Amino acid sequence: MTTLACIIRPSTPPSRLIPLARAVEAAGIEEIWLWEDCFQSGGISAASAILAATERARVGIGVMPTPLRNVALTAMEVATVDGMFPGRLIPGIGHGVQSWMSQVGAKAASPLTLMREYATALSALLAGERVTTSGKYVSLDDVALDWPPARPVPVPVAATGPKSLRVAGEVGAGVVLEGSVGLPGLPATLERIAEGRAAAGKDGLDGFPVIQFVSGGTGPGATERLRAEVNGAGSDVADDEQLAGYAVWGDAQALADGVRRFGAAGADTVAVYATDDDPDFERLVAVLGEANELLGKDS
């Protein structure tokens, strides 16, 4: 069964994170996803607070920009959070928005090289290995965590372009796809990921979670808000049929059907986020909870 998750956007004021996260868990949704945008909420700090304030929900960070953090620090933080909340953190990493990385003096000349080095080193550190490596961007000299996770912590990688998708397949333990991919882009996207996995000697996409971010809404004006959101992200949708390739909306049944569409196309997790101008995020959470119950009947 495709997992339905709910995203709390980084534009949400920090004071609202805990109440919203508790509402998501109370609705029966098993995963809460965050992401980092400069210069809004921090991923690890927000995830830690949400994990402490909830009981069962898993929290994904989709994603943390690798240029902003030394890989050893990321490993330390992930291992610490996992040690407090075992198995509940999904720590995704990505290139970061290049203009923001340049703004803070952290832009990498070769984001693909950085990702390959970073993901490889991070996975090894989280596996409890002692790592020595000297790459273009990642250098570690006899580094090992004192408190590595007791169980494997998969690290998904965000990607969009063909080259980055191949790298995600090669070094990631899953992939995070932004909303601009949508149903039209999923077939080619999965093909590029599979190419990367094949190059690394890995078998297909079995056991390789695909997390697709999708805009969502309910109530009056939902389609208008979603169309503006999707087109503002670079797509060009003129009608509801085209919009359905990038968004889910309506009542619980319609939302569940939308999630099924993305699942049938290859998404293992459909993570739904509201538009920034949605007047009632809590209502969307409640309807998503109802949709999740309908999806549960599929199993």
Side-chain angles (χ1 to χ4, degrees), residues 170-186:
E170 178 186 340
V171 301
V175 66
V176 178
L177 303 175
E178 62 181 32
S180 63
V181 175
L183 291 176
L186 261 176

Side-chain angles (χ1 to χ4, degrees), residues 215-230 240 243 247-251 274-280 283-284:
S215 295
T218 191
T223 54
E224 290 78 8
R225 294 193 303 271
L226 291 169
R227 188 174 291 111
E229 171 92 16
V230 169
D240 287 0
L243 182 61
V248 295
W249 69 91
D251 61 14
T275 60
D276 273 334
D277 59 349
D278 191 317
D280 193 353
R283 176 58 183 162
L284 175 59

Side-chain angles (χ1 to χ4, degrees), residues 42-274:
I44 287 289
S45 53
S48 299
I50 289 172
L51 288 165
T54 56
E55 297 180 0
R56 302 171 306 279
R58 296 183 297 275
V59 178
I61 307 175
V63 291
M64 298 177 284
T66 55
L68 283 177
R69 294 178 180 80
N70 183 282
V71 69
L73 177 60
T74 301
M76 290 163 56
E77 290 192 315
V78 170
T80 299
V81 175
D82 184 76
M84 293 187 289
F85 309 101
R88 293 178 60 198
L89 178 69
I90 308 169
I93 56 176
H95 301 308
V97 176
Q98 296 305 294
S99 60
W100 287 333
M101 298 303 100
S102 179
Q103 191 176 355
V104 299
K107 183 178 179 180
S110 176
L112 294 177
T113 300
L114 170 59
M115 180 56 69
R116 184 176 284 107
E117 293 179 0
Y118 198 104
T120 301
L122 179 58
S123 297
L125 289 169
L126 292 175
E129 298 177 20
R130 185 169 296 276
V131 181
T132 295
T133 184
S134 181
K136 183 175 182 180
Y137 298 104
V138 175
S139 295
L140 299 172
D141 182 11
D142 195 34
V143 175
L145 296 174
D146 281 7
W147 303 103
R151 296 176 293 179
V153 178
V155 179
V157 170
T160 50
K163 292 181 180 179
S164 62
L165 288 166
R166 292 188 186 97
V167 171
E170 178 186 340
V171 301
V175 66
V176 178
L177 303 175
E178 62 181 32
S180 63
V181 175
L183 291 176
L186 261 176
T189 291
L190 298 179
E191 186 177 343
R192 299 292 88 77
I193 295 168
E195 289 172 359
R197 288 182 60 76
K202 301 172 182 177
D203 294 331
L205 295 178
D206 288 342
F208 184 88
V210 175
I211 301 105
Q212 172 71 67
F213 286 6
V214 177
S215 295
T218 191
T223 54
E224 290 78 8
R225 294 193 303 271
L226 291 169
R227 188 174 291 111
E229 171 92 16
V230 169
N231 287 334
S235 300
D236 184 16
V237 300
D239 54 35
D240 287 0
E241 184 177 355
Q242 292 176 321
L243 182 61
Y246 300 92
V248 295
W249 69 91
D251 61 14
Q253 186 64 63
L255 288 170
D257 290 343
V259 170
R260 291 188 186 100
R261 287 198 306 272
F262 282 89
D268 298 292
T269 296
V270 177
V272 178
Y273 58 93

